Amino acid sequence: MGDFVKRNPDAPPGFFGVEAAGLRWLAVDGGVRCARVVSCDATPLTLERLDSVSPTPAAARDFGAHLAVTHDAGASSFGVGPDNWGGPGYFGPMSQPLPMSFTAHERWGEFYAYERLRPMADLAAPRLSAAGRTAVDEVMDQCLAGAFDDDDRPARLHGDLWSGNVMWTSEGVALIDPAAHGGHRETDLAMLALFGCPFLGEAWRVINPCTRCRRAGARGRDCISCTRCWRTWCCSEAAMALRLRPPRRAR
């Protein structure tokens, strides 16, 4: 059927380049399969074509096991971009990409507050009520205070792991459209939980057995997803209100 070509003549500089770099960086031995990059130029990106099949519990368990390997491949710091990429970062749909910082931090909370929550809250400001912005600011304060920091080293993240970027194929799950960076593995898990994923419980059983990670979808790492929704798809503030409340640290 030929290759799959993504084309956008109005793409900002490096938009397709960082996507290609991310797919290559995520394609580690034993990790989740990623769409193979055929070629990449300034305005088009050519990938192998993936044929979809229906998801199954067994495929979801395999996805979880491989995703754990991808995460464990690691990154040098929280916030860094893919290896061998020195350009800008982006995430969001091709029609409306949003800037994504690749500034490195030693602590996850500091990285997330300064490089994710604050920029996205600023972008979402026209659609955030005063109470909504206060809720985000409270989560930022908790992040900066180290409330969510732990001993987990920076993981190698897909970074935009909603269900639309999880392709179920006859050879298992394949990932597309990454916003790859070094971060906390719970960020990928929170995206899957927030936007839904077939047989997610099956995948979670083998991604990481700790209770903290199985609760990822209800913690502060959802906030970047929520503010992105406001900015990009204008989701209801009321529908996200509970997820924006400062969560208590798991004990």
Side-chain angles (χ1 to χ4, degrees), residues 56-72:
T56 66
R61 288 191 292 271
D62 287 343
F63 170 42
H66 293 308
L67 183 61
V69 174
T70 301
H71 287 163
D72 286 341

Side-chain angles (χ1 to χ4, degrees), residues 73-161:
S76 60
S77 300
F78 293 108
V80 296
D83 291 347
N84 302 315
W85 177 255
Y90 302 97
F91 65 85
M94 185 168 63
S95 61
Q96 193 180 13
L98 303 178
M100 185 175 78
S101 168
F102 285 145
T103 301
H105 291 266
E106 291 302 312
R107 290 199 307 110
W108 178 86
E110 183 179 84
F111 147 68
Y112 214 63
Y114 288 140
E115 313 300 339
R116 295 295 183 267
L117 291 179
R118 177 178 289 172
M120 288 299 100
D122 289 345
L123 286 171
R127 304 183 186 280
L128 279 173
S129 68
R133 181 58 193 251
T134 296
V136 177
D137 288 344
E138 289 174 353
V139 175
M140 285 181 56
D141 289 343
Q142 286 203 341
C143 287
L144 291 172
F148 304 115
D149 290 339
D150 54 27
D151 296 330
D152 211 1
R153 67 188 183 92
R156 188 167 301 196
L157 299 186
H158 178 280
D160 194 7
L161 199 57

